[in-house]
Amino acid sequence: MTARLGWALADGWTIARRALLHWRMQPGPVIFGWLFPVLMMLMFGALLGGAIEMPSGDSYYELLVPGIFALAMLFGLESTMTAVTTDVDKGITDRFRSLPMSSAAVVLGRCIADLLDSAVTLIVLSGAGLALGWRWHGSVVEAVAAFGLLLALRFALLWIGIFIGLMVKNAQSVMAVQIIVWPIGFLSSAFVATSTMPGWLGAIAQWNPLSATATAARALFGNPDPSAASWIGDHALEAAIIGPLLLTAIFLPLSAIRFRRLSR
């Protein structure tokens, strides 16, 4: 069992290195992916910063930056879907499956590469947030825990992206699925407190897993969040742990089954 796990990890890292080599060969799309959330932060900070009053006169970036962190984890879903579908469409996945390597290596390599990409995204966003005046007010351990929750959300969304990427027919079909990502991102507490929304809409937004992670991250960073004044808001930390675990428990097996039955 240990030998098989080591074999899978070694082969998975080989596949991940292939994705990392693409960063060097085609840096433009990768750098744009890191900077796009920064653009969102700057744009929404300028558009909404003067209109939203924060408790005790806090900067709007105290609310916005952790929300953008969570939103960036959701946006990573698009790159995962596109990469998986492109490899399948071009026959690359079938070639990997024909090699004497662990059957789990293809998806494991995708997970490793995309998590590393998301970690870099969070580093870039943190630097931009600090430059704009955002600060965390808790301990280093709490800040690390907040980033851990964000990456846990990304890990869960990875399996959704892999599953969808294996299900759709080609990279063009991904475009239709990507349209859904934006409403999910905006229907959350990423940009504004859900307490400012109509009651029914705020309730839906509060139960969005993105909101749970954003709210929990704000609490760990010591940033204000009026959205926390509700049952799900008061239990955001638990929801930010249970939500990704539940999504992973559903979509990881579905992805494994689809990968085994893959036939194009």
Side-chain angles (χ1 to χ4, degrees):
M1 183 67 179
T2 303
R4 290 184 62 183
L5 178 60
W7 180 32
L9 289 173
D11 289 342
W13 175 242
T14 300
I15 300 297
R17 285 179 59 200
R18 166 182 171 263
L20 298 181
L21 285 173
H22 287 172
W23 292 13
R24 187 177 67 183
M25 297 171 62
Q26 299 176 325
V30 178
I31 294 174
F32 177 79
W34 294 339
L35 295 180
F36 179 71
V38 176
L39 176 62
M40 296 282 290
M41 185 188 299
L42 291 170
M43 183 174 65
F44 281 93
L47 288 173
L48 303 178
I52 296 179
E53 294 184 6
M54 294 294 296
S56 304
D58 293 309
S59 168
Y60 173 58
Y61 287 106
E62 294 280 285
L63 175 75
L64 178 64
V65 172
I68 294 292
F69 287 166
L71 197 66
M73 301 300 97
L74 176 65
F75 286 162
L77 178 65
E78 300 182 31
S79 61
T80 300
M81 290 189 297
T82 302
V84 172
T85 303
T86 300
D87 281 352
V88 173
D89 191 38
K90 292 183 176 180
I92 297 173
T93 301
D94 285 335
R95 287 179 225 166
F96 284 145
R97 295 173 71 202
S98 67
L99 295 173
M101 62 190 300
S102 170
S103 59
V106 177
V107 291
L108 181 59
R110 182 79 262 153
C111 285
I112 294 172
D114 284 2
L115 281 176
L116 287 174
D117 179 73
S118 295
V120 175
T121 299
L122 287 175
I123 292 172
V124 172
L125 276 172
S126 297
L130 290 170
L132 290 169
W134 168 76
R135 297 291 185 270
W136 76 71
H137 308 285
S139 66
V140 173
V141 173
E142 289 172 324
V144 170
F147 286 120
L149 289 178
L150 291 161
L151 290 175
L153 176 65
R154 180 69 178 102
F155 181 76
L157 293 173
L158 265 171
W159 293 106
I160 299 177
I162 290 172
F163 176 69
I164 296 174
L166 293 172
M167 290 294 294
V168 299
K169 295 299 183 184
N170 50 53
Q172 287 72 31
S173 302
V174 173
M175 295 296 295
V177 181
Q178 287 176 340
I179 297 173
I180 304 174
V181 172
W182 288 87
I184 293 175
F186 282 94
L187 189 57
S188 70
S189 64
F191 300 108
V192 297
T194 55
S195 56
T196 65
M197 303 177 185
W200 63 272
L201 188 63
I204 295 174
Q206 277 281 51
W207 284 92
N208 185 337
L210 194 73
S211 295
T213 299
T215 300
R218 289 178 185 124
L220 289 168
F221 286 133
N223 299 141
D225 186 357
S227 299
S230 66
W231 185 88
I232 186 63
D234 292 339
H235 297 83
L237 181 59
E238 294 88 338
I241 296 172
I242 295 172
L245 286 175
L246 184 60
L247 290 174
T248 302
I250 294 172
F251 285 96
L252 192 158
L254 288 176
S255 299
I257 293 170
R258 176 60 183 165
F259 184 74
R260 284 197 296 267
R261 296 178 179 175
L262 193 61
S263 176
R264 299 293 176 103

